[in-house]
Structure formats: structure tokens, C-alpha cells
Amino acid sequence: MNTASASSAAAGEPRWLTDEEQRVWRAYVDATTLLEDHLDRQLQRDAGMPHVYYGLLVKLAEAPRRRLRMTELAKDAKITRSRLSHAVSRLEKNGWVRREDCPSDKRGQFAVLTDEGMNVLRRHAPGHVDAVRQAVFDRLTPEQQKSLGEIMGIVAEGLQPSEAGADLPWLR
């Protein structure tokens, strides 16, 4: 922190972003907004589902026996339990996911990727990977890709405190 920032923070004033920080922040917001829109439109057009639903199918496909506790799926997807419940209901209507009761916890449920859901994922993964590659990786050098991964990892880690009572989407 520079001296001016330290003194303004100590005086209770906001720590305004520098011109360079503002440039970086706005570039990040613009890029992430455009990227999410790009991927969402690609998946809506090609697979008839939003990006968040595709992400849920991927998480389930990668899980042992293609099943996860709903609470674990919400945590992995970084979404609220309410949003997850709504999404899983829509995926159930399509026959791509089913819910199963948890035998060890009467209140718990599993989300399970069906064979039909796995087939949908296999069919649409190549187009999605191509959209990701074109939008992100084809524009960056290997060094930039590594830096981006490291930076996003630091940001994500800082936004997921481990202490009790943390306000995280999957706990809401």
C-alpha cells in the first residue's frame, strides 16, 4: 500500500482505485461479463441450456458414480442451494439428472447424472470446448495462461474464507 493510500485508509476514507487498478478492474469486469454471455449463448444455441446447467452436468460427470450430494454440488458449482434446487428441477424435467434420497441422512439428497444427461454432455462438450478455446486460450500465450490461472486461483481462494459463519453462496 502506498503512503497516500495508507493515510487515507487510516483517516477512514475509501481506498480509491488508482488509475491502473481501475483500468485492470474494468478490463476484468468487461471480459468476465462478455465471456459468460458468450458461453451462455453458445450453450443455449447448441444445447438448449444455460452455462450454469452445463457446469452442473460436468461436475456430476466427474464425480464418482456420477453422483454428488446436493450440498456438495452447490459448493462445487459456487451457487446457492436454492439456485441449485431450481436448476436440478429443470435438468430432471429434461431427463438429464435425477435425485436420490441419501440413505444415511433423511434430509439429504444426491443429484445423479443419467445416461441421457451423459450423452447430452458428450454431444455438446466439443462445441463448448471450442468456444472456450477461441474466447480465452487461443488469445493468450502459455505464460499468460499460467499467470491467469494463478491470479484467478488467488482471487477465488481469498473469496472463500474457511471460518465458521462465512457468507458463501452454497451456505445460503
Side-chain angles (χ1 to χ4, degrees):
M1 180 187 306
N2 66 35
T3 308
S5 293
S7 63
S8 70
E13 296 177 25
R15 286 183 53 216
W16 299 110
L17 299 179
T18 65
D19 289 345
E20 180 61 11
E21 289 169 335
Q22 188 70 254
R23 183 194 67 74
V24 169
W25 174 246
R26 288 182 180 176
Y28 167 81
V29 170
D30 289 350
T32 56
T33 301
L34 290 167
L35 180 60
E36 186 59 30
D37 179 71
H38 175 73
L39 297 177
D40 204 53
R41 284 183 298 114
Q42 178 268 321
L43 285 164
Q44 287 284 10
R45 179 188 66 239
D46 297 349
M49 75 176 98
H51 190 217
V52 71
Y53 291 13
Y54 179 87
L56 295 173
L57 296 181
V58 169
K59 299 282 184 198
L60 291 171
E62 293 172 343
R65 298 175 47 212
R66 298 187 329 207
R67 62 191 278 144
L68 283 171
R69 292 277 305 250
M70 292 284 283
T71 51
E72 197 62 30
L73 184 55
K75 181 179 179 182
D76 288 353
K78 313 290 186 250
I79 60 175
T80 64
R81 291 177 286 190
S82 173
R83 185 173 184 196
L84 175 65
S85 182
H86 176 76
V88 168
S89 291
R90 296 286 304 271
L91 292 168
E92 279 181 302
K93 286 179 185 172
N94 291 337
W96 300 343
V97 170
R98 73 175 179 275
R99 293 179 209 230
E100 292 179 357
D101 290 333
C102 178
S104 63
D105 178 0
K106 299 260 186 248
R107 295 175 299 149
Q109 286 190 318
F110 287 97
V112 181
L113 182 65
T114 64
D115 290 342
E116 187 177 344
M118 190 68 188
N119 290 335
V120 166
L121 194 56
R122 284 187 184 121
R123 195 166 49 251
H124 295 291
H128 181 63
V129 169
D130 189 49
V132 169
R133 182 168 297 289
Q134 288 178 10
V136 179
F137 297 102
D138 290 350
R139 300 170 190 273
L140 302 175
T141 66
E143 294 80 24
Q144 289 171 321
Q145 292 174 23
K146 182 178 179 193
S147 293
L148 180 62
E150 290 170 353
I151 291 164
M152 292 295 99
I154 290 167
V155 171
E157 184 179 316
L159 293 170
Q160 298 179 83
S162 58
E163 66 267 1
D167 185 22
L168 297 167
W170 54 91
L171 299 176
R172 288 186 231 136

